[in-house]
Amino acid sequence: CEKGEQWVQALQLFVDMGVGCVQQDTITYNALLSAFEKGGQWIHAVGVFLEMADSCVDTDTITYNATFTACEKGGQWAHALQIFREM
């Protein structure tokens, strides 16, 4: 879904995982973040990033890179800067 910029399908898969018995982890969150970044959905990317912190899911370089790039593509440098300051 990420490579085809099909962020809606990626989101649906992610939600379905949460409803089922599949654990959402750093890798699945990062895949969703990357799909949002590629699809130009910065606000969704920031929301998922914040959800990771609320859910105590570990973040990594990919997490920050996808979130920063989504903000950059959306012209939201202030959001990216705020996230950077909270690292």
Side-chain angles (χ1 to χ4, degrees), residues 35-50:
F36 285 148
E37 178 258 314
K38 301 264 189 299
Q41 301 298 313
W42 72 268
I43 197 156
H44 292 305
V46 170
V48 167
F49 177 83
L50 296 174

Side-chain angles (χ1 to χ4, degrees), residues 49-50 68 76-87:
F49 177 83
L50 296 174
F68 290 150
Q76 302 297 316
W77 62 268
H79 283 91
L81 186 58
Q82 180 180 353
I83 291 168
F84 180 76
R85 287 182 179 149
E86 294 174 6
M87 287 176 70

